[in-house]
Every structure is written in C-alpha cells, then in structure tokens.
Amino acid sequence: MTRTRWRTVALAALFPFPASAYASTLDVGTFYRMRALSYSNLDLQDPRNNHSFISQNAQLSVFVKGILPQADAPDQTMDVGIALRGIGVAGSSTTLPSPFDTVGQNYPNTSFVPFLESAYVRMHQALGYPVQATFGQQPFSLGSGLLLADDNAGFAGVHLIGSLPFWEMKAGGFIFQPRNSQSSANGLMVYGFTLELPTDGVWQLNELVEKDKHPQITGSGLPVNEATRYFTSMRYQINAGPFVFDGEAAIQRGSAHPAGPSPANPNGTRVLYMGDAQVARAKWRQSFAKIGEGIARVTFARGSGYSGKTITTDETFFPSHGHRFDGLERSGSGDFFGATPYDAFGGKSSSTASGLPMTVHGIQTVGLGFTPPAYRGVTFDFDYFLFQADRNTAGADRTLGREMDFRLRYNFRDKLSFSLAYATFTAGKALSPSSSNARKYTFEAVGRF
C-alpha cells in the first residue's frame, strides 16, 4: 500500500504531540477492490444455484509513525493509528445468500459500512529491549496462516516479538480475543508463541492454544459445550535464487466436554482431538532470452478427517481462525472451490463446517500451474487442481473434483491493476454422483493510493 508522508510542520498543526514527537511521519493509505462475480451451479445439483453480483472491499488507514515518547531515548519509538474497512455487495444490504453467509460471518459488517479493522499502539525497543510490542485491534497471521489469521477482520489483544541474544533467533508471544461473529456470542480466546531460527532458510516453530466455549458439533458428530485445542506446527521457508519453497506441518490435540449423554455417547465421555495437516508450495522462476521470465509452481495441502473408528476421538484438523477468506470470497486452492486443508465450497452440504457432505472428512489438494513471460504487460496464469477427501466413512469414493483456472492480469505501475479470470470445476463422485460442473467468472479492478 503506498503512503503519503508529511513532515514536522504538518504533524505539529494536526496532532498535539510534544516536541519529541516531531520527527514522526503521517502515513495515509487507501485501498479499493471491485470484483464482478458470476457463479454457476454453486450447489452442484439441480435446481442450479447461480449467483452474480459485484463485491466491494475498501480500506482507509491513518498511522502516525516514529513518535519519540522520550527525547533521551531516540531508539524507542511508537506508532499509533487506525484502519477502517468496508466490504459488501453493491446495491444490497440484506443477508448474504448461502454459502456466502458463512464467509460473511467472519466480519462484523457485510453491508459496505466501515468497521474498525485496526486500532493499535506499537512500541519499538519497548523498555529499552529489542522487543516490538503491539496493543489493540491489529492484523495478525501465525506462520503461513494455516493455524491463525485475521483475514482483514483484525484481532484484539497483545503481540510481542523480539530478538534473542543467540543464533539470530526471534521469539514472539500473543493473546487475542477474536471479535464476535455476526451470529454468536464471544466465547473464544487464543494465545501462543512463535520461535524463529534463520539457517540457509528460516525455520519457525509455532504453538497455538484455543479456549473455545461456543456450543459446537465435532467432526465426529457429537455436540460439545466447551473445547480446548492445542496446535503445534513447524514451518520452513527458503528463497534460493530462482527457487522458492514454503512448507508447514501441524498437529492438533486437545479435548472437549460433551453437551450431555447421547445415544452415541451414553456415558458422556470427553471427545479427544487427534488431527494433523501439511501444506507445501514451491515455485521456480526461469528467465528466457528476450521474452522475459516465466514461473512454474506446485501446491500440496492435506488436512486429516474423522476416521469413523470411535465417536469420542475426532481426527478432524480444524483451527477456528485459519486463513480461509478474502472479503466475501474464499481464499484457498482453486478460484471456485477455494479449498483449505479443512474446508471448501462443497455444494449441497455447505451447512457443515467443512462445506463437505456429512460422511466426507478432510481435504487433500495437489495443484500445478505456470505463468509464461508477460506479453506487452499482460500476464497469463494457468492452474490445475485435483481435490480428494482424506476419508469417506460411507464408501470408497474420495474424489471431490478437479478445477482449471485461467487468468489474465495487467498492472499499471503499482497503483492500479485489472484481471479477468475463468474457473471451471467438475465434481467428483464423493460430492456429486452425476459429476456436476460449476463455473466462476471474475473481473477485478484494484487501486492502491
């Protein structure tokens, strides 16, 4: 996001900071994205569920950076500011239709009325130590986002990160209370830490704890009133010339209190969580004489699902706020299916947490793609994805479908970009016995100033 900087005179006129703050800068940023979207056969069955609309996503941020709280400590600076975001469907303020209503629940408002995405104070060199401390509503992502990401909604809490005195390591800790969804009371607290070790690449150890008091249904089908989930992941990143790799593997453990005795669980036994997930992305940049640079990429992702062996052990990997959304659209593998290791647009069973049929659990994704050198500033992307369930407790069929994505992109410097995309999805037998087809058309315009 580009920013405009005003010098000391403007700050002195606009903000009542003491003289020690006059070395600070005012950063103002704006972002706007419009997408014209057309979905065909979202439910993967008759009657066909078609939707066409224009989605909007806008942000305005104002931050004062580099404030000097103490004149005798020039290394200790502070940033203060806010960011407002508005998302919604053009011309509509009504409840979003299924399955977009589940996406919209991640945000406090989906009627293009601005909400407070960020409002925080950030201290650099806090108390004279190499520590950055952020307090308030803030953007945050843990690791690659597999375990935790705010997805432009912001998390309220505290985040600390600093350098350790050995091996150039960094350590951080956080505690957040994600905002209420639009449909339920606040009952979730998340906290954890991260440890980073640079080598030839960068190793990262992440730990997340979820204290969840929402009434919910486990992947094994049991209602529970309270759950404690522990997630541990190891991530590795490397950028070695033309080769880029980012991989993360995670396990989920914990337990949940049942809502009470049930026919499936007459003794009210606690439910144990035993899930795991892995994601890996790699790409190779290749220069071609006179025509530019091309890119080949590969994606793999897997999330475990309920095995059906015992109802009091749930192998489903499903963090409450993993990276899943981008405004009113999904963010995952495939423009249409939008698969993460734990959920997707799964057609007629979008009422389930995963978006998949009740008997289908976990998602495995393999993706291949390439981007040839740009021609007169226009870039073409092609991606192919194959989706499979980790387990199907009702039969042997685990194929969820396959998808092909085509996209044309044009960037006007760093301020304005346009894209035109087409996605075609063919459902597998685990989703649709008739192998239904679905399509998505997208025109996007993005401005950053």
Side-chain angles (χ1 to χ4, degrees):
M1 182 179 297
T2 59
R3 292 176 169 86
T4 304
R5 296 176 178 267
W6 283 291
R7 303 293 288 178
T8 302
V9 175
L11 288 170
L14 293 173
F15 295 93
F17 294 132
S20 61
Y22 291 169
S24 57
T25 59
L26 178 64
D27 286 8
V28 179
T30 58
F31 165 87
Y32 177 76
R33 184 185 72 200
M34 183 208 76
R35 283 178 174 169
L37 299 160
S38 177
Y39 288 88
S40 170
N41 198 20
L42 263 171
D43 288 347
L44 303 173
Q45 64 173 342
D46 292 325
R48 298 171 72 90
N49 181 14
N50 301 334
H51 287 288
S52 296
F53 56 88
I54 294 176
S55 74
Q56 300 183 91
N57 191 332
Q59 186 198 53
L60 172 65
S61 63
V62 181
F63 284 88
V64 182
K65 297 186 175 183
I67 302 169
L68 298 176
Q70 302 180 66
D72 59 347
D75 291 337
Q76 298 181 34
T77 62
M78 183 173 65
D79 307 334
V80 181
I82 64 172
L84 301 175
R85 185 173 294 273
I87 60 175
V89 174
S92 175
S93 59
T94 60
T95 302
L96 296 170
S98 176
F100 304 103
D101 54 346
T102 59
V103 180
Q105 288 177 10
N106 189 60
Y107 304 96
N109 188 289
T110 55
S111 301
F112 207 53
V113 174
F115 60 85
L116 202 60
E117 178 185 356
S118 300
Y120 61 79
V121 175
R122 175 170 291 159
M123 300 177 63
H124 304 273
Q125 292 292 118
L127 302 177
Y129 294 97
V131 174
Q132 177 181 282
T134 306
F135 306 88
Q137 185 85 10
Q138 57 193 277
F140 183 82
S141 180
L142 181 62
S144 65
L146 175 66
L147 304 185
L148 183 65
D150 73 293
D151 285 347
N152 297 325
F155 289 147
V158 180
H159 176 220
L160 305 175
I161 187 167
S163 300
L164 298 179
F166 46 85
W167 301 336
E168 299 182 348
M169 295 179 67
K170 292 183 179 180
F174 59 89
I175 180 169
F176 295 118
Q177 186 163 33
R179 68 170 83 233
N180 296 354
S181 78
Q182 297 180 60
S183 62
S184 63
N186 206 346
L188 177 66
M189 181 75 73
V190 298
Y191 56 90
F193 69 85
T194 183
L195 190 65
E196 190 174 291
L197 172 65
T199 56
D200 292 338
V202 177
W203 290 94
Q204 193 176 68
L205 173 67
N206 301 303
E207 182 70 22
L208 171 68
V209 180
E210 295 185 354
K211 293 287 187 178
D212 192 351
K213 296 184 179 180
H214 288 115
Q216 56 201 272
I217 304 296
T218 67
S220 58
L222 283 180
V224 294
N225 288 332
E226 186 175 341
T228 300
R229 294 180 285 267
Y230 304 92
F231 298 87
T232 303
S233 81
M234 183 67 73
R235 183 188 185 193
Y236 179 68
Q237 299 170 275
I238 188 169
N239 190 338
F243 178 71
V244 179
F245 175 81
D246 186 353
E248 186 170 6
I251 60 172
Q252 174 185 347
R253 297 294 183 265
S255 63
H257 296 286
S262 66
N265 185 19
N267 298 321
T269 306
R270 290 166 64 103
V271 176
L272 301 179
Y273 294 106
M274 299 289 288
D276 60 272
Q278 304 83 35
V279 294
R281 301 177 182 88
K283 64 181 179 181
W284 180 272
R285 296 187 177 96
Q286 180 66 52
S287 294
F288 298 93
K290 298 182 181 181
I291 63 173
E293 181 183 79
I295 299 174
R297 54 189 167 271
V298 61
T299 301
F300 170 80
R302 174 192 169 273
S304 63
Y306 173 55
S307 67
K309 294 179 180 178
T310 169
I311 200 164
T312 56
T313 298
D314 184 5
E315 297 91 348
T316 304
F317 182 90
F318 207 132
S320 298
H321 281 276
H323 176 51
R324 303 159 64 196
F325 307 123
D326 180 14
L328 293 180
E329 293 86 60
R330 290 190 53 83
S331 179
S333 296
D335 277 356
F336 175 86
F337 203 50
T340 69
Y342 24 84
D343 68 345
F345 272 163
K348 60 184 179 182
S349 54
S350 59
S351 59
T352 63
S354 67
L356 304 178
M358 293 292 294
T359 60
V360 177
H361 307 275
I363 300 176
Q364 299 178 7
T365 301
V366 176
L368 300 171
F370 70 90
T371 300
Y375 177 73
R376 296 191 176 185
V378 178
T379 303
F380 171 72
D381 302 317
F382 171 77
D383 290 278
Y384 175 83
F385 298 95
L386 180 63
F387 306 102
Q388 191 173 55
D390 185 54
R391 292 184 173 119
N392 186 349
T393 57
D397 258 321
R398 296 193 294 136
T399 302
L400 299 176
R402 61 184 186 273
E403 178 171 334
M404 290 189 292
D405 296 343
F406 307 84
R407 182 180 298 272
L408 293 174
R409 296 182 285 119
Y410 180 78
N411 295 329
F412 184 76
R413 297 182 180 177
D414 295 329
K415 298 184 181 298
L416 187 63
S417 64
F418 299 94
S419 68
L420 185 65
Y422 168 70
T424 176
F425 177 83
T426 302
K429 298 296 184 181
L431 282 184
S432 170
S434 61
S435 299
S436 297
N437 292 311
R439 293 177 176 83
K440 177 186 176 183
Y441 302 87
T442 306
F443 170 74
E444 176 184 275
V446 178
R448 299 176 177 86
F449 304 95

